[in-house]
Amino acid sequence: TDTATPPAAAEPKSAHGRAKAPEPSAPARAPRRSPAGAVGPFTAALAVLHTDGVWLPDGTCLPLPERLEHAGHLAELVHELNLGTATSPRTSEPGQLWVTPEALLELFDLNPESDELDPAAWLGEMSAQTSGSTLVDGALADGWELGGRTAGQLSRWTRIWKGDRRGVFIVLMSLIKADPSTWPTLADDPSPAVFARRMQLLADAMQFPFKVSAQTTGLDLASACRVKDRKEAFAPSDPCPPAEIPNVEADHNWVRKPTSDESRMRFVHAFDRGGSYAGAVAGLEMGIGDPEHVDGAVVFDKKLPGYWLIDRESWEDWRVPHPLNLRADANDGQVWVTTPTMEIASELGLSPTIHQAWVWKRHARVLDGWYARVRDARAALDTEDPDEQAARDQLKTVYTRLIGNFGSEALWRGRKGYAPERRHLIVAKARANLTRRFMQIGRDSGVWPLAVTADTLLYASDEPDPVKAWPGLDKSYGRGFGQFRWEASGLMSEHLQYLDPELDDMRSGRWLGKSSLSTEPLE
C-alpha cells in the first residue's frame, strides 16, 4: 500500500469525530511485512480508520482503501497493514482496526439517532443498525464470519475471520463512552493519531494489546503469562462457604484522636501507597482447584492459601488500627480470615484459636508473571510525556479491574477467572503490607498514623514540606508498587474535626476527612 499524507483540505478530527487543531504530519512509510506463518514483526498493534485516512500509531496517515464497502474490507485492511502484537517469541494477538464515529457515519451511513442515549441503549441501537446493513450483510455474503453474542451484528468489539485466515478485531468507537475512569486514553478527546499512539504505547509496555475491556485484558494477560497449568489455574471456581462472604477481608478505614502534642502541630500530610493491591500480588500463593475442609484441631500453615475460622482477638494499642480488621458481624465471637491475615497476626504476637479451615493443598504463585509484566509496564510509562501518562492510567484500569472482578458475581461467576478467594487474599495481603509499614515507621521514628485507609496514611507534622515530613525510610518513598508518595495536606486546625471517632457522624470509627485535604503546596 502506498503511503500519503492527508489531503490538505481535510480537517483533523478527534477520535470521537470532533474537530481538532491540525497536527504535524509524520513522514510516510510503507508497512513492514511478516514472512508467512511468522509471529512478527508487526507494523503496529492497531490502526484508526477516520474520514481522512487510516492512522497508524507513529503518525503516518494512509489513504482510505479503494474498496471499503463492508466489514470484510475492514478486516482485509488489518491483514494488509500487518497489524498485531507479538506477546512472546511464539505467540501473538490479532490486529485491531478502530473505526471512529464520523467514519462510521460518512463511510457507512451509520450513527445513533440520539446523542443522549445511555451506553446500554447506544450499544443496542448501533448494533441493531448494523444488522441488515451492507456493512454486515456484504461481509457475510463474501464469506466472512462474525463473532459476538448476536448473530449478524457488529458490537463494540467484533472478531471477524474468513476461512482459515486468522480473525481480527473491528472496534466501533461510537459504542465507547469516554469516561475518564474507564478510558483515560480517550478522556481529553484525542485525535485519531494521538489515540493510536497511546494504545500502541500501552501494548508495547505490556507486550500485550488492550482488548475488549480492562478486565478482559487483565485476565487474558494473566493467562498468557501463566504457560504452565494455564487452563487449571484460571478455571472458574466453585466457592467454598467463606469465599461467598463479600467482605470477608476488607481495607483499613480508621481514625483516632490526636494526642495533645500532635494536636498542636501545624499540618497533616497524607501519603498514598502506589499499586497497593497489585503490589500485594507479588509472591502470593493462590489455590488451584478445589480447597479441602479441615475441622476440629487445626494448626495454621502459612504456606497454604485458605480461610481460617478464628476467635476474635482484642487489640489494645490505640495508636494503630486493629491489624486483623475483624468484621463487626462475627457470629459467636468467631470470624473467617485468610492466610495473609493469619500471618500478620503471628508477626504481631497474636495467636487466635482456629476452629476450622478451608485450605488449598495445591497452590502456586499464579499471578507472579502477570505482576512482573504490569510492574515493568508501569515503570516504562511513568514519564512526563502526556501520551505515556494516558497509557499508564489505562494500564491502571487493567490491573485494578482484574483484581476487582475475580469475585464479580455479575460478570464472571461460572466463567474463566472467577475466583473470589483470590481477591480476598490480595486485599488481606495489601492490608497486611500496609500494617507492616506503619508499624515499622512507628517503631523506628515514634511517629504513628492519625488515620489509615486502603492505601493512605495520615501523619501530623510541623514541617510544611510533605516530602521532608515523610516519617518512613527513604527507600519506601517513590513511585513504584508498594512505595509511598505525597497525596494531599491540610492544616491541623481545620482537620481536627475529622479526627475524633466519637463525634456523632464518626461513630463508625472511619476517617471521612480525606476529601477535605488539598493537593496544593502549603505555605
Side-chain angles (χ1 to χ4, degrees):
T1 304
D2 293 331
T3 60
T5 55
E11 182 182 25
K13 301 292 196 300
S14 76
H16 272 148
R18 290 183 284 277
K20 300 287 286 185
E23 298 181 5
S25 297
R29 64 168 177 78
R32 292 174 292 169
R33 300 280 180 178
S34 294
V39 172
F42 293 101
T43 303
L46 74 154
V48 179
L49 178 73
H50 197 43
T51 55
D52 55 3
V54 182
W55 291 89
L56 296 176
D58 67 353
T60 300
C61 186
L62 305 174
L64 294 170
E66 292 183 6
R67 296 182 64 205
L68 201 58
E69 300 168 4
H70 58 66
H73 295 151
L74 298 179
E76 286 285 4
L77 182 58
V78 176
H79 289 294
E80 290 172 8
L81 294 178
N82 188 33
L83 302 178
T85 304
T87 56
S88 79
R90 292 180 294 276
T91 60
S92 64
E93 283 289 321
Q96 306 169 4
L97 184 69
W98 294 64
V99 183
T100 68
E102 274 215 352
L104 204 60
L105 172 63
E106 295 186 17
L107 302 179
F108 300 101
D109 195 29
L110 286 171
N111 201 43
E113 296 177 358
S114 171
D115 290 335
E116 303 301 322
L117 294 175
D118 62 67
W122 189 304
L123 175 61
E125 182 188 323
M126 178 62 81
S127 294
Q129 282 195 35
T130 65
S131 180
S133 68
T134 302
L135 181 64
V136 169
D137 286 0
L140 296 175
D142 202 18
W144 292 88
E145 298 182 67
L146 306 178
R149 296 180 179 179
T150 305
Q153 293 184 4
L154 294 182
S155 57
R156 183 184 292 114
W157 285 74
T158 304
R159 183 172 171 267
I160 178 170
W161 69 96
K162 185 177 184 179
D164 58 358
R165 297 190 73 181
R166 188 182 196 185
V168 300
F169 283 110
I170 305 300
V171 189
L172 302 186
M173 299 181 73
S174 298
L175 306 182
I176 295 175
K177 183 181 180 182
D179 181 342
S181 66
T182 304
W183 281 99
T185 47
L186 282 169
D188 59 349
D189 202 22
S191 68
V194 169
F195 175 72
R197 179 174 188 262
R198 291 174 177 179
M199 299 305 286
Q200 184 67 50
L201 287 168
L202 179 60
D204 288 343
M206 290 196 302
Q207 302 172 55
F208 199 86
F210 190 97
K211 51 188 289 194
V212 183
S213 67
Q215 52 266 31
T216 297
T217 303
L219 181 59
D220 286 356
L221 175 60
S223 181
C225 291
R226 181 78 187 179
V227 178
K228 184 179 73 171
D229 65 16
R230 176 186 300 164
K231 185 175 181 180
E232 294 171 292
F234 295 100
S237 93
D238 184 12
C240 58
E244 298 275 21
I245 304 171
N247 294 316
V248 68
E249 295 283 13
D251 297 313
H252 283 307
N253 193 343
W254 167 92
V255 65
R256 68 172 173 86
K257 200 170 184 176
T259 65
S260 57
D261 287 343
E262 289 170 334
S263 63
R264 286 193 292 269
M265 293 182 179
R266 297 172 59 201
F267 310 107
V268 290
H269 299 295
F271 300 93
D272 171 74
R273 189 168 191 260
S276 191
Y277 281 5
V281 167
L284 181 60
E285 295 286 339
M286 295 179 171
I288 298 176
D290 295 324
E292 176 182 315
H293 184 231
V294 184
D295 207 349
V298 182
V299 178
F300 175 61
D301 185 345
K302 67 179 182 179
K303 296 179 182 178
L304 298 180
Y307 295 92
W308 313 82
L309 184 64
I310 63 171
D311 288 331
R312 294 182 63 86
E313 287 271 324
S314 61
W315 180 253
E316 305 301 331
D317 192 339
W318 56 267
R319 301 169 300 180
V320 293
H322 195 307
L324 307 191
N325 196 37
L326 301 180
R327 302 187 321 280
D329 62 347
N331 296 320
D332 301 321
Q334 298 178 357
V335 63
W336 285 102
V337 298
T338 60
T339 298
T341 298
M342 291 295 293
E343 284 190 78
I344 190 67
S346 177
E347 291 173 24
L348 296 176
L350 300 175
S351 54
T353 301
I354 305 172
H355 297 279
Q356 58 175 297
W358 289 87
V359 295
W360 278 262
K361 295 294 183 68
R362 185 183 175 193
H363 54 88
R365 296 178 177 180
V366 174
L367 293 180
D368 264 12
W370 174 88
Y371 165 78
R373 190 78 67 90
V374 168
R375 176 201 61 202
D376 294 348
R378 188 174 183 266
L381 295 170
D382 193 12
T383 73
E384 297 303 315
D385 179 85
D387 293 339
E388 292 187 332
Q389 289 177 356
R392 182 192 66 213
D393 291 342
Q394 194 71 62
L395 172 68
K396 183 177 181 179
T397 70
V398 171
Y399 59 77
T400 57
R401 299 291 172 87
L402 172 65
I403 293 170
N405 278 280
F406 274 135
S408 173
E409 289 269 347
L411 291 180
W412 283 7
R413 182 156 192 142
R415 299 172 56 190
K416 171 186 173 182
Y418 182 69
E421 71 278 359
R422 291 183 179 174
R423 181 180 178 277
H424 293 157
L425 289 166
I426 292 169
V427 171
K429 186 179 175 186
R431 192 186 68 239
N433 286 343
L434 189 69
T435 301
R436 292 183 181 98
R437 184 60 59 224
F438 63 64
M439 294 297 290
Q440 170 261 312
I441 292 172
R443 288 191 295 262
D444 291 352
S445 67
V447 180
W448 299 91
L450 295 175
V452 182
T453 65
D455 52 11
T456 301
L457 300 178
L458 183 76
Y459 288 100
S461 176
D462 275 324
E463 171 59 60
D465 183 343
V467 178
K468 293 180 181 178
W470 168 242
L473 300 174
D474 289 344
K475 67 179 182 180
S476 63
Y477 195 89
R479 296 179 61 84
F481 280 156
Q483 291 184 306
F484 289 83
R485 58 182 174 178
W486 175 67
E487 183 175 8
S489 297
L491 297 175
M492 175 65 79
S493 59
E494 296 177 356
H495 202 73
L496 274 172
Q497 61 181 312
Y498 300 106
L499 300 178
D500 189 347
E502 296 179 1
L503 294 177
D504 285 348
D505 60 348
M506 297 288 290
R507 286 175 179 163
S508 63
R510 296 180 297 145
W511 178 40
L512 304 180
K514 184 175 178 178
S515 61
S516 73
L517 299 177
S518 173
T519 56
E520 297 296 324
L522 298 174
E523 295 296 332

